[in-house]
Amino acid sequence: MSPVDIRMEKGRPAPAGPPPRMRASWHLRANAIVVGWLALTVVVATAGDVLPAPRWLLIHVFLLGAVSTAILIWSEHFAVSLLRVRTPPEGGSLARLAVLNAATLAVLIGMSAGPWQVAAAGAALVVGVVLWHAAMLVRLVRQALPGRFGHVIGWYVSAAAALAAGGILGGLLAADVWHHGHERLHAAHAQVNLLGWVGLTVLGTLFTLWPTVLRTRMADGTRRASRVGLWLAGPGLAVATGGLLTGWRWAALAGLAAYAAGGLAALVPLADALRRRRPHTGASWMLGAAIVWFEVALVADLVVVATRPAHEVAAALAPLLPLVLAGFVAQVLLGSLLHLLPAVLGGGPARFKEHAALLERGWAVRLVAFNLGVPLLALPVPGPPAVLGWALVLGSVLAFVGLAGTALIRARRLSTAPLPGAVGAAPSPVAGGESVVLSGGWGRWRRVMPAVSGVVAGCLLTAAAVVVATSGGSGPATVVATGSRTVDVTLSGMSIRPSLIEAPAGTVLTLRVTNTDAQRHDLRLGTGERTPMLAPGRSATLKLEPLGEAVDGWCTVAGHRAAGMTMRIVPKGAAATSPRSGGHDAGHGRSRSGDRATTTAPGRLDPGAPMMPGWTPYDATLRPAPGRTEHHVEIRAGDTAVQEVAPGVRQRVWTFDGTMPGPVLRGKVGDVFVVTFVNAGTMGHGIDFHAGATAPDGPMRTIQPGERLTYRFRAEHAGAWLYHCSTMPMTQHIANGMYGAVVIDPPDLPEVDREYLLVQGELYLGEPGSEAQAAKMRRGEPDGWMFNGTAAGYDHAPLRATAGERVRIWAVAAGPSSGTALHVVGAPFDTVFKEGAYLLRKGDPGGAQVLDLAPAQGGFAELVFPEAGTYPVVDHTMRHAEAGAHGLFQVRAR
């Protein structure tokens, strides 16, 4: 039986009258979205090493963007056709697609650029829209009369539930709320999405697709087999997911075994159809091969789960992706197109035969080539065989695309048949001289099959591109293995030890990588191998190809490579001038962590340039200390804020509470500060308050994204104190904006008319954490200097005062490497307080020209402006002033 309404006729003429109005335009618009996602997938794959986490990004653009959109469109369409019910309102369908695509964008942007809340919100929207879709399918079943095909919808609804579960797990991954269980979450997330959302959808479709392709009747026991299969596969997948999450390997194994049993039960009626009619076309052989690869992937999945700890499952399953995505999903789609495209092209029985003969030309060679290529992609074989695998798979796909394009051009030129989908479209011939007339459901599909053909070709080409992009090319020339060696590698303290590994050419190296640090690290090699992100105490193993040339390795966490967390593997006696260092990343100062500057900053600042529209200066006004003696505050670390750091220059900065500098804390001697520190960023951060006296082991430790700690200290000493991020490399975290001030008033501090705070910091333009930026920090060569986070900001938003008023200017030198010589042109200081002591008091005969502070020092100076006018405030180290450490006081007359 066909999965639609099929009427057997003896060439009865088509009824007169205009064809019914179809929703082809809706389907065309909807599939244009799929094509757009595929175009984006190609862009991401082509970008390769330039983009953050290219493998993750490409897989999610492909599966969450293109495939999920297509499933949403076509599962609804098939449900309507199989159940023979009224098509749901177009508005609801469009709304679901819009929400799904907006949610997908949020997931991709949030995970790639942050903040994580955007990705988590996107995952929540994905869950909501697939549950909405499932509810719509259930409503269609309730509206339908009893029929033979209703059981298929159960598979679609279960698949939607699986994606909902996968979306929840994806949101947890984005939020990193359980970073110690990250790998278990990842494994469960991958299993429930691939085996559930994709696997259950395809298995449900095969009940009707397979006998249609074989041109035989549907087995009598199909409905029962479908129900048994779903009752095994659905709960089995749920148990497997729970087992992976909890680390109960045998529970996960039992669940996967139940899922596999459900898959076998679903294949029983397919085998029955096979006994009645052997594969005799390219489409039937390709679908049969897809089913075999799915079973092979399931067996391999069972072996991995049975032999690997839960936290290693995700990495171990990576080689199985070609079996599922290319061997199974791609061949199902290609086989379907090979069968359906001749009918879609129209033109009557004669044209049908011509189109079918053209599309099946050389199908046996293409089938063999494709299925020889799949294992070469999945197995851990050296570079050349893997390239051969892609050549075989892509060659087969490109051959089909070429033939399909020729058929489309021929049909466009020669066809005189009615529009596809019209009642009376030319029938497709089958054995025995009878004919099959497609009813409205298939007729609508015929209108959009060219778009679906493009989707299939784009999916496969994209899958090939990601492997090529992430491998850094086709690899070096083949090197004959001459021996093997295992090396223990540790990640700790911004170092990879050993930092240099030498081995004879041809040595097959196995690196046992262990993170002995208090924060997470990973190791990526220029040849493409990489460990997962390793929590403290975790290990992973990398096996390299025979050593033929120098290979660079590094940690991909933001700033760690730039801080020196690198290694090199060198063949003995070989020059190390051309290492395998990761394509675009080599020599260009790119951070492999995905931390990118929002705006490409110029190499030279122009303090006189105008500020961008919407710029708001940091409020330098200092409020009096609150009257209470215990202060409870929350400070959130982040690394995705964008700030105008100089006139016309915006770039991403790392911040406390979203600003550079962070919030000001003020109190009196003896006050207690209880600070709740929350890491809302995408990397580890810590905090160090110079105003407190406490052992740094606990409160100053680095915490991971999503974690929080409480920092409690008593302010025993007066002064203007620095606080800053305590995570290594500290230079980068401070220089990129993670600093602020704590002001503790000296006893009996007199009142003044106005108080301002200026925190001076260095400005390093460019991508936070990049090698180019870090090199400037190591040399102590900032691009500029800033008061309160913006170079020359107070030139454009002057500080205010009135002639005759007493003004107190608090100052802190945040550095990280240079201090300040704070000076107000035209108004000497009559009071200077530095590092807890008065150097000069009002009434003393002398005066002061500058408040000089070394890095991390603080204090205040007081002055009275003698008359109205504009008074520059500068760091009197003139190159600092000329490069941004400059502002203005606008003083009005009394």
Side-chain angles (χ1 to χ4, degrees), residues 492-511:
S492 180
M494 294 300 112
S495 297
I496 301 176
R497 301 182 181 89
S499 60
L500 177 65
I501 299 174
E502 292 184 321
T507 301
V508 177
L509 287 171
T510 299
L511 306 183

Side-chain angles (χ1 to χ4, degrees), residues 605-611 647 792 795-796:
L605 297 179
D606 181 7
M611 305 300 293
D795 283 7
H796 302 269

Side-chain angles (χ1 to χ4, degrees), residues 541-562:
T541 300
L542 299 178
K543 187 172 183 179
L544 284 65
E545 296 178 5
L547 187 61
E549 59 183 349
V551 178
D552 278 341
W554 62 92
C555 177
T556 67
V557 175
H560 288 195
R561 183 181 189 181

